[in-house]
Amino acid sequence: MLKKKKPFVIAIDGPAGSGKGTVSQKLSAKLNYHYLDSGSIYRVIAYAAQKENIEPGSINSLVDLVANSNIKFTAKNIWLNGDRVSDEIRTELISKFASEIAIHDKLRTAILDYQRSFCKLPGLVAEGRDMTSIVFPDADLKIYLNASVHERANRRYKQLISKGNDVNLSDLTREIVKRDSRDKDREVSPLVIVKEAWVLETDDLSENQTVDKILGLFKGI
Ligand code: DC
């Protein structure tokens, strides 16, 4: 009997500003794979919660909000109940709120199947904090992208300034350090380096060099 073909999954985790987003997008485009930016799901929920005046600690209201929201990804945009929210979810305020709501087990469970629904043939590049550990524990290739706090804050600074935001590098560095500890020290699905993961330090690598390194690992499988 013919064996059913399974999508090839590349799972990429790493802290804020490690370059996961751009690297994963480029990788998925090169391979013609699907792409999951799991952080943006937390961001959309955070954005919706903020609009509804729901506190980050109000877990039941957050779960209700997820059940009643229509989150959609198209090639270049993210939509919430028919509104384009691609830029609105990228502010520092939403970064913080997303990290605060991400501590809830009930919320994480509520979006688990949705995240897994992105896994389709021929393959998927999924990035976030728990892609290698919880969402795709059987991924074919697992990567942990890292960079120093200094480098990550600088990248974020340049990114936000280029979009016309008024930001301060030391405030950004402080926020990244706080977000790191919330994402790594939480009880549920913390950011960890799983033992099968290839750890790539990206301080001295361009995005394209990082993509090439991952492609090299991919070809070696
Ligand atoms: O990747 P990002 O910076 O857009 O993610 C925003 C926040 O969402 C991050 O600080 C923690 C949370 N998050 C998470 O807990 N698990 C994921 N898989 C992705 C993001």
Side-chain angles (χ1 to χ4, degrees):
M1 206 170 70
L2 275 176
K3 248 177 120 182
K4 210 173 150 204
K5 241 183 147 191
K6 270 185 17 193
F8 191 99
V9 178
I10 303 178
I12 303 181
D13 285 327
S18 57
K20 303 181 304 290
T22 318
V23 164
S24 302
Q25 273 178 45
K26 288 188 173 195
L27 194 61
S28 64
K30 284 206 171 204
L31 295 170
N32 227 346
Y33 277 11
H34 298 275
Y35 168 55
L36 168 64
D37 165 9
S38 60
S40 64
I41 302 175
Y42 291 90
R43 286 175 181 272
V44 174
I45 301 166
Y47 175 77
Q50 250 233 330
K51 275 182 72 169
E52 300 282 325
N53 286 323
I54 297 172
E55 295 289 324
S58 305
I59 179 57
N60 291 333
S61 306
L62 287 170
V63 171
D64 283 348
L65 185 69
V66 170
N68 296 312
S69 299
N70 181 10
I71 301 172
K72 227 175 79 182
F73 288 79
T74 50
K76 290 212 161 56
N77 284 301
I78 303 167
W79 306 80
L80 169 69
N81 301 329
D83 292 332
R84 198 176 74 98
V85 294
S86 321
D87 296 331
E88 288 80 351
I89 63 167
R90 297 282 157 204
T91 65
E92 277 310 285
L93 191 76
I94 298 298
S95 299
K96 179 168 179 279
F97 204 117
S99 165
E100 286 172 354
I101 62 168
I103 63 164
H104 300 297
D105 193 17
K106 242 172 134 176
L107 179 71
R108 305 193 73 89
T109 306
I111 60 170
L112 197 54
D113 285 347
Y114 178 59
Q115 294 178 83
R116 289 183 178 152
S117 73
F118 284 75
C119 184
K120 291 183 194 142
L121 287 170
L124 173 72
V125 179
E127 51 115 340
R129 303 293 187 290
D130 61 345
M131 298 297 103
T132 58
S133 56
I134 307 289
V135 182
F136 299 107
D138 300 324
D140 303 277
L141 176 61
K142 298 186 179 186
I143 307 284
Y144 186 92
L145 273 198
N146 205 11
S148 64
V149 170
H150 173 74
E151 176 65 22
R152 291 187 284 126
N154 265 317
R155 287 178 190 169
R156 188 88 184 114
Y157 179 76
K158 286 184 193 151
Q159 202 180 49
L160 289 167
I161 290 285
S162 74
K163 285 185 182 161
N165 293 285
D166 180 22
V167 280
N168 169 297
L169 185 59
S170 34
D171 289 348
L172 268 183
T173 308
R174 253 193 309 277
E175 265 315 310
I176 282 199
V177 170
K178 275 198 220 154
R179 195 138 75 94
D180 276 0
S181 65
R182 254 196 314 270
D183 295 347
K184 291 179 180 175
D185 301 339
R186 67 183 177 220
E187 279 178 30
V188 188
S189 309
L191 171 64
V192 289
I193 305 179
V194 297
K195 66 176 191 316
E196 317 86 80
W198 295 87
V199 180
L200 299 184
E201 297 291 342
T202 67
D203 274 44
D204 299 321
L205 294 179
S206 69
E207 284 162 358
N208 286 338
Q209 286 171 324
T210 307
V211 172
D212 286 344
K213 276 203 180 268
I214 301 176
L215 280 174
L217 294 168
F218 171 80
K219 285 174 187 152
I221 286 179

